[in-house]
Amino acid sequence: MTLFFLLFCSIFLGISQNTVFAGDDLSIFGYFQTYFSQTNIKTTIENSHTHYSWEQDSQSNSFLLQQANLFLEKEISPNFMGWINLEFTNSFSTERNWGTFNIDEAWIKYNPSNKFKIKLGLLTPIFNNLNEVKNRTPYLPYIYRPGIYESSLSDIIRMENYRPERAYMQIYGALPAMNQQIDYAFYCGNSENDNIISSSEARFIRGADSTHYLLIGGRVGLRSLFAKLGFSFTYDHDNLHAVGLGDEVRKRYGLDLSFSYRRIDFEGEYVHTSYKPMLKMDKRFYYAKIGYNFTNELFSYIMFDYLNDESVPSLKNGMNAYKVGGGYRFSDSIIFKMQYVQLRILDGEIYLPPPMNAAKYKFKLQSFLLAVSVSI
Amino acid sequence: MLNVIIIFLAIFIPAKASGDEIAVVVNDSLNIKEIDHDKLLDIYMLNIQKWEDGQKIILCDLKNEIELKKQFYKHLGKKSYEFRKIWIRAQLTGEGDVPATFSTEQAMIKKIESTPGAIGYMSAENVPGSAQVIYRFTIK
């Protein structure tokens, strides 16, 4: 009976595969971005009551392969497509214990038309304008990205509190309406909470997200030839057991606006993450970028971003960043970029062991970066 | 002296002058007689990626930023680098393909004639008799 079942399955699957895998060849492509940076960091801690102060200046010059991504794309049939995105960051080397390797995305898409598509599998959900393309360096004019999208700040900022990083099912599309497109996307996945077990139940499952709450979210937007506007939202639970709370409801709201006029382009976003009012854990982020394209190849921009987190003393009063940069599209595959960044945490607080106790915390980073982004 | 004159003419006389026509050509497997400006724009903005009969749209483009290319995208309403931004975003998110690019109109028409679902643009005067033209406009 078992043999018959296996034989039946193998014949059935064989036929299915022959039918389904009759599409085009596998496409493999990708990109990488490498940069040189000269960075100055100044950190100051002061306590006016105890007259204690500590200051550190540091300077570094470094080359880095910021990231390399490899895409595998296969048109399985006219309406089905498979996609894998492998990401290597920070000069990835297992020998030297450098960087990270991620399966950033692995999904299958059912795509009967632009009006209705479904993605299943590990995917980056649509939230505001940048979330989906935050690490697509050939698309981005900048090197150091707006705060919540800059992975090198992940030691300071818990990115998942501001934007959803992963989802597992997404229904989306674009509906034409009076020479405009109405974009929509709805998705679900796991609540993101650093994969900490989300209850007192001592149960650890290796390689599985241990949250038992769902993330749901979406974006609704309007897109025309020259402008794009959208409203995004998510609803999930944040695991706060570690700080004596429970699984608290977390809502993220986002607004995004992009437009172009002649050779000027603008993009901006606003994000607000809210919890129960009594928790005082709300987080806000916004950025605005104005770019000017001198020619089809030569571009420049200025950018400002700000974020705060009421639950983190050092970020309670915010962190802001000014960025100026530009670049040259040498060819379809090669883009040279340069950028100056000034990032400041002002009037932050930090809690240290006695006798310091609560102290003022200031942080200033200045960086000059040169990069090349190459598509392969 | 002759070289200087040729270089001068190449720089200062546009390849496509006002009054010239640009034609949009598709592979003859498609049963399409004509399309309008909005639909052409939707195709190049990747809002439409399949023809009515279900065939995948294969976009073709010229590699170099010559006058013909500038005029074509100007007619669509955006600069060529803006279209390129749309295509790169689509390609890197699995939502579409960057057009195949060609150094000459002749290479592009060969590809269009041999690829089902292909579409591209060229000077109307260079369109071979066998090609299927679905849209035409005059450079202003």
Side-chain angles (χ1 to χ4, degrees):
Chain A
M1 183 63 191
T2 311
L3 188 66
F4 174 77
F5 177 70
L6 286 173
L7 192 65
F8 174 80
C9 284
S10 62
I11 292 168
F12 176 73
L13 290 174
I15 291 167
S16 298
Q17 283 192 343
N18 285 340
T19 312
V20 172
F21 284 87
D24 291 338
D25 291 333
L26 175 71
S27 301
I28 300 174
F29 58 98
Y31 60 88
F32 65 86
Q33 180 161 289
T34 186
Y35 71 66
F36 168 77
S37 66
Q38 186 188 57
T39 305
N40 291 289
I41 295 175
K42 187 175 179 180
T43 312
T44 312
I45 296 172
E46 281 175 352
N47 186 320
S48 55
H49 298 297
T50 59
H51 303 290
Y52 177 91
S53 74
W54 176 85
E55 196 173 291
Q56 188 182 49
D57 267 304
S58 64
Q59 185 178 334
S60 63
N61 299 296
S62 186
F63 287 93
L64 184 74
L65 179 69
Q66 188 180 11
Q67 68 178 84
N69 284 58
L70 193 64
F71 299 102
L72 290 87
E73 183 188 63
K74 169 111 183 164
E75 197 176 305
I76 299 165
S77 76
N79 289 335
F80 282 94
M81 192 188 101
W83 173 269
I84 296 175
N85 172 11
L86 305 174
E87 182 176 76
F88 306 84
T89 65
N90 297 336
S91 306
F92 176 71
S93 163
T94 51
E95 188 186 2
R96 298 178 187 219
N97 285 328
W98 282 353
T100 59
F101 165 68
N102 284 312
I103 300 176
D104 205 36
E105 296 166 283
W107 44 255
I108 184 163
K109 179 171 72 171
Y110 173 59
N111 180 24
S113 81
N114 264 27
K115 293 173 190 162
F116 179 79
K117 304 177 203 178
I118 301 178
K119 273 184 191 173
L120 284 173
L122 177 60
L123 58 98
T124 306
I126 296 171
F127 184 83
N128 278 354
N129 177 43
L130 266 191
N131 196 40
E132 226 189 347
V133 289
K134 61 187 175 293
N135 55 9
R136 302 326 200 231
T137 59
Y139 174 77
L140 302 174
Y142 25 79
I143 306 165
Y144 206 90
R145 292 159 283 194
I148 62 168
Y149 299 106
E150 178 48 54
S151 53
S152 67
L153 290 175
S154 56
D155 290 342
I156 305 173
I157 306 159
R158 283 183 59 200
M159 308 287 178
E160 76 275 9
N161 278 331
Y162 295 85
R163 56 177 173 78
E165 293 189 312
R166 293 174 158 204
Y168 286 85
M169 186 177 87
Q170 180 168 274
I171 296 169
Y172 64 111
L175 307 169
M178 308 269 290
N179 290 334
Q180 321 283 323
Q181 299 281 324
I182 298 171
D183 295 320
Y184 71 90
F186 301 102
Y187 46 83
C188 65
N190 292 325
S191 287
E192 284 159 295
N193 47 33
D194 291 342
N195 298 332
I196 303 167
I197 193 152
S198 59
S199 72
S200 55
E201 189 188 342
R203 186 167 57 88
F204 297 94
I205 307 166
R206 281 189 178 275
D209 197 322
S210 53
T211 182
H212 51 228
Y213 286 109
L214 274 181
L215 158 84
I216 54 168
R219 179 180 179 275
V220 180
L222 195 65
R223 182 161 46 92
S224 73
L225 185 57
F226 300 105
K228 193 171 110 171
L229 173 72
F231 169 71
S232 303
F233 64 93
T234 70
Y235 176 97
D236 68 353
H237 287 76
D238 192 6
N239 178 333
L240 299 171
H241 287 269
V243 289
L245 298 164
D247 293 319
E248 301 294 341
V249 170
R250 171 174 55 191
K251 296 173 194 165
R252 306 179 186 96
Y253 304 99
L255 269 177
D256 64 275
L257 172 68
S258 320
F259 62 82
S260 61
Y261 176 72
R262 295 177 184 263
R263 290 195 169 271
I264 297 168
D265 59 68
F266 172 87
E267 63 180 52
E269 282 188 16
Y270 175 76
V271 176
H272 179 198
T273 305
S274 75
Y275 293 79
K276 279 193 294 205
M278 66 182 75
L279 290 179
K280 293 193 173 168
M281 291 184 63
D282 282 16
K283 299 152 209 327
R284 285 172 190 81
F285 164 78
Y286 58 82
Y287 88 89
K289 187 214 91 177
I290 297 174
Y292 186 80
N293 296 277
F294 296 99
T295 64
N296 287 352
E297 293 82 25
L298 192 64
F299 59 90
S300 67
Y301 60 87
I302 52 170
M303 183 158 68
F304 174 76
D305 66 76
Y306 170 88
L307 69 82
N308 80 346
D309 184 339
E310 290 177 14
S311 67
V312 178
S314 60
L315 296 173
K316 207 176 263 183
N317 293 313
M319 177 175 84
N320 59 35
Y322 300 91
K323 292 155 196 165
V324 183
Y328 183 76
R329 295 182 194 95
F330 180 73
S331 71
D332 288 349
S333 304
I334 302 171
I335 307 168
F336 294 103
K337 302 176 186 177
M338 59 184 287
Q339 190 178 42
Y340 170 76
V341 180
Q342 191 180 96
L343 186 148
R344 282 167 184 259
I345 296 176
L346 295 170
D347 300 324
E349 283 180 10
I350 190 166
Y351 295 100
L352 298 168
M356 282 290 287
N357 300 321
K360 289 265 181 216
Y361 173 74
K362 289 180 184 176
F363 176 87
K364 184 180 174 186
L365 176 148
Q366 288 185 90
S367 193
F368 179 71
L369 305 109
L370 291 170
V372 59
S373 179
V374 180
S375 304
I376 47 173
Chain B
M1 184 60 192
L2 186 64
N3 285 348
V4 174
I5 293 168
I6 289 169
I7 290 167
F8 178 84
L9 291 175
I11 293 171
F12 292 103
I13 297 178
K16 289 288 117 202
S18 168
D20 284 353
E21 270 196 319
I22 293 177
V24 175
V25 179
V26 293
N27 180 270
D28 58 14
S29 65
L30 295 162
N31 187 23
I32 300 168
K33 293 281 174 277
E34 60 175 359
I35 58 171
D36 61 16
H37 177 272
D38 289 350
K39 182 144 188 191
L40 185 64
L41 179 62
D42 277 339
I43 288 171
Y44 272 85
M45 284 186 77
L46 306 182
N47 293 332
I48 299 174
Q49 297 190 31
K50 283 177 188 167
W51 297 108
E52 277 80 1
D53 64 0
Q55 284 193 68
K56 190 177 173 182
I57 297 176
I58 310 289
L59 289 181
C60 296
D61 194 17
L62 286 169
K63 197 172 267 180
N64 302 318
E65 198 64 29
I66 59 170
E67 195 60 24
L68 170 67
K69 182 171 172 175
K70 281 182 193 168
Q71 291 297 337
F72 177 69
Y73 289 111
K74 187 180 170 189
H75 179 74
L76 288 186
K78 268 179 171 297
K79 295 194 164 49
S80 62
Y81 72 84
E82 293 177 287
F83 278 99
R84 181 144 191 89
K85 221 175 147 186
I86 292 168
W87 301 330
I88 289 174
R89 184 179 175 123
Q91 185 194 32
L92 298 178
T93 51
E95 297 300 333
D97 295 325
V98 170
T101 54
F102 302 91
S103 302
T104 62
E105 291 176 65
Q106 288 71 26
M108 184 152 74
I109 190 70
K110 262 190 189 173
K111 174 73 176 176
I112 292 167
E113 287 185 327
S114 63
T115 310
I119 179 170
Y121 59 91
M122 57 179 38
S123 310
E125 62 194 71
N126 292 339
V127 175
S130 57
Q132 191 172 338
V133 175
I134 58 164
Y135 187 82
R136 217 178 251 273
F137 66 92
T138 306
I139 299 171
K140 287 175 188 164

